[in-house]
Amino acid sequence: MIAIIDYDAGNVKSVEKAIEKLGAGHVLTSDPSVIAGADACILPGVGNFGDCMDKLRLRSLDSAIRDFVKTGKPFLGICVGLQLLFEESEESPGVSGLGILKGKIKRFPASFDLKVPQIGWNNVRSCKGKLFEGISDDTYFYFVHSYYLDSADPSIVSSKCEYGISFDSSVESGNVFATQFHPEKSSEAGLRVLSNFLKLSGEVQYAD
Amino acid sequence: MLTKRIIPCLDVKDGRVVKGVNFVNLKDAGDPAEIASAYDMHGADEVVFLDITASADSRDTQLSWVRNVASALFIPFTVGGGIKTCDDFKAILREGADKISVNSAALMNPDLISDAAMKFGSQCVVVAIDAKKRDDGKGWTVFKNGGRVDMNMDAVEWAVKAEKLGAGEILLTSMDCDGTKAGYDIELTKIISESVSIPVIASGGAGECSHFYDAIEAGASAVLAASLFHYKELTIREVKEYLKERSVSVRL
């Protein structure tokens, strides 16, 4: 059973639909005990960093997530769900993130040529690790974000992307996975990433 | 590199796609979910749905087709038409839509843009602008109610204000060019793109590959077309290959 954390932030529905499409058992939940019992957990998210942290804390989901990660079971953060795993964000100065991983979330530099937010399909490079099995470098994924990850530990970065600057578009650290892009909105390639994640929990096998 | 997006637009009435789509054999040529999936297969980067249902009590129908689309489509989609309040936003986003486009409602109540941006994030707030060149040639004026009512408001000023209020994208339709197949309004696309720092989607007037290129050169981040794709006068792939040959970054 995959727990998709529902904390009233953004579009959990599309993540749920993608998991459904891949045929994995899942539950949308904000109940820490349901999360604790899941085989894998997904933290989706669209929205403001501080706002999302508030919503997590309000439901005691911050500690539920930290506890879940400690069990060693697969965990996936998507978009703001990636950002929340880190220590802080320029979007919400003074707000602490979950701090499970080390690094900061920064705003794309203001530049005349660069539209912020980055909205659309961009190719990722230096892909490695379990999420990218069967996916080649330069594959396009769908991004929507104004802030990007600057990981303190480059060894956990599992793909890079260019938007004015080169930024960390996904990470893998033990059982903790996260993508800045939206796999649930990235057509075939995105479903493959999700399926690779679900495979780790023994939920589905990707049909090649 | 971030690619330029090619976006087919579908008109929906009472839960059915109208104006017909015949670029591919469909079991049900009126089903929004099936048509959108076909466009995904054909390389669309996103899909925009415009709900033109007139009756006010059609919310349930709308939620139902949005839900079906979300189950079948794994690229982003925008829903526009008749969305007036933050509660409307919430209901449609909850069904799986990625973005909401607002037009007349935002003109009547600009706070809707800021309220929705605050609650759901700018990324899902698309402000659609229907603009028409002024008779004296001095700039463009904004229309509401599907192009029926002249707001006598400058399109550039409105776009700038929409961005300030928190819009994440501008969906810019030229009423002069719409349906002509003579090309997008390049002047309008250029001036709006230069005036805001959020992405601009050019709409209205596409008839051939070079039109897409011209709009992108003018600064559009994405280009939208409807009948051109629906009737297979051009495929999305043809457009993308044309753009790629001219060094425009596209997802192929």
Side-chain angles (χ1 to χ4, degrees):
Chain A
M1 180 67 76
I2 313 292
I4 302 169
I5 300 180
D6 184 5
Y7 58 118
D8 198 27
N11 202 355
V12 291
K13 206 69 175 184
S14 42
V15 173
E16 187 186 21
K17 301 277 187 186
I19 300 304
E20 218 168 83
K21 160 99 177 170
L22 292 166
H26 64 277
V27 56
L28 254 181
T29 182
S30 55
D31 181 345
S33 67
V34 173
I35 292 168
D39 301 311
C41 181
I42 299 178
L43 178 65
V46 169
N48 175 284
F49 183 92
D51 216 42
C52 287
M53 267 320 290
D54 284 347
K55 286 172 172 163
L56 286 180
R57 286 203 194 93
L58 193 70
R59 298 166 173 79
S60 305
L61 290 167
D62 51 338
S63 45
I65 291 168
R66 286 196 196 91
D67 292 344
F68 185 88
V69 163
K70 281 181 204 146
T71 64
K73 291 187 279 192
F75 181 92
L76 175 65
I78 296 173
C79 193
V80 176
L82 165 143
Q83 300 184 355
L84 295 169
L85 291 170
F86 289 83
E87 295 164 296
E88 55 180 318
S89 169
E90 288 180 1
E91 185 172 22
S92 311
V95 175
S96 298
L98 292 166
I100 292 168
L101 301 172
K102 302 263 180 249
K104 281 184 188 169
I105 309 302
K106 298 179 173 173
R107 188 172 167 89
F108 281 121
S111 143
F112 190 69
D113 292 336
L114 199 67
K115 304 272 182 184
V116 176
Q118 160 166 243
I119 299 183
W121 298 80
N122 203 334
N123 51 340
V124 299
R125 295 197 165 146
S126 310
C127 303
K128 61 175 194 189
K130 293 171 183 152
L131 288 188
F132 291 97
E133 260 174 42
I135 292 169
S136 52
D137 261 14
D138 278 329
T139 297
Y140 286 97
F141 291 96
Y142 189 79
F143 290 83
V144 181
H145 61 134
S146 300
Y147 298 83
Y148 66 90
L149 164 65
D150 184 8
S151 173
D153 176 1
S155 76
I156 66 168
V157 175
S158 60
S159 71
K160 303 279 284 184
C161 184
E162 297 270 337
Y163 192 61
I165 48 146
S166 171
F167 69 93
D168 304 329
S169 43
S170 63
V171 293
E172 174 177 344
S173 172
N175 60 318
V176 180
F177 301 82
T179 63
Q180 179 59 61
F181 55 82
H182 288 271
E184 78 282 10
K185 287 291 162 185
S186 298
S187 200
E188 272 299 301
L191 291 175
R192 179 77 197 232
V193 165
L194 286 174
S195 149
N196 285 341
F197 174 75
L198 296 176
K199 224 159 55 176
L200 300 173
S201 66
E203 276 283 350
V204 290
Q205 204 70 39
Y206 193 84
D208 278 306
Chain B
M1 218 177 142
L2 185 69
T3 62
K4 301 298 178 184
R5 291 169 280 152
I6 309 295
I7 306 176
C9 177
L10 297 162
D11 285 355
V12 179
K13 188 165 191 272
D14 299 320
R16 308 280 296 163
V17 173
V18 293
K19 286 205 292 202
V21 172
N22 61 6
F23 71 99
V24 61
N25 288 328
L26 298 168
K27 272 181 282 175
D28 179 355
D31 178 17
E34 194 181 344
I35 294 168
S37 296
Y39 270 124
D40 177 6
M41 302 280 289
H42 281 71
D45 295 309
E46 290 182 37
V47 179
V48 168
F49 293 95
L50 188 58
D51 197 328
I52 57 170
T53 310
S55 65
D57 55 4
S58 57
R59 187 63 66 206
D60 289 346
T61 313
Q62 186 176 48
L63 293 181
S64 151
W65 70 255
V66 170
R67 188 179 314 135
N68 292 338
V69 167
S71 294
L73 187 68
F74 298 98
I75 57 173
F77 69 100
T78 303
V79 176
I83 290 138
K84 293 188 181 66
T85 65
C86 271
D87 285 344
D88 296 341
F89 263 78
K90 185 167 190 176
I92 296 168
L93 291 172
R94 283 299 292 189
E95 295 301 345
D98 298 281
K99 309 180 202 182
I100 303 292
S101 119
V102 285
N103 192 333
S104 305
L107 285 164
M108 299 314 290
N109 171 26
D111 289 344
L112 175 61
I113 301 173
S114 42
D115 291 349
M118 201 89 95
K119 272 207 166 100
F120 313 109
S122 288
Q123 83 294 329
C124 69
V125 184
V126 180
V127 172
I129 300 178
D130 292 338
K132 190 173 193 310
K133 189 124 189 154
R134 286 190 198 272
D135 291 338
D136 62 8
K138 288 180 184 146
W140 291 261
T141 178
V142 177
F143 277 68
K144 68 164 185 165
N145 294 2
R148 285 189 289 274
V149 180
D150 187 350
M151 293 293 287
N152 199 19
M153 180 192 284
D154 182 69
V156 176
E157 280 173 25
W158 175 230
V160 169
K161 186 176 176 189
E163 177 184 20
K164 277 209 185 94
L165 288 167
E169 274 185 305
I170 302 287
L171 169 49
L172 179 64
T173 302
S174 157
M175 291 169 57
D176 304 296
C177 297
D178 203 17
T180 64
K181 297 198 176 170
Y184 297 93
D185 187 332
I186 296 307
E187 224 188 321
L188 173 67
T189 304
K190 190 167 180 359
I191 193 166
I192 301 278
S193 301
E194 284 172 356
S195 306
V196 297
S197 65
I198 51 178
V200 172
I201 306 166
S203 158
E208 52 189 81
C209 287
S210 64
H211 297 154
F212 292 84
Y213 179 78
D214 294 342
I216 289 165
E217 283 294 286
S221 296
V223 269
L224 180 140
S227 55
L228 195 62
F229 294 140
H230 302 336
Y231 301 120
K232 213 185 171 181
E233 290 163 41
L234 276 178
T235 65
I236 291 171
R237 193 170 184 89
E238 280 167 341
V239 173
K240 286 190 169 181
E241 275 166 359
Y242 179 94
L243 294 172
K244 194 180 180 184
E245 281 167 21
R246 282 153 189 81
S247 303
V248 174
S249 170
V250 287
R251 180 178 69 108
L252 262 175

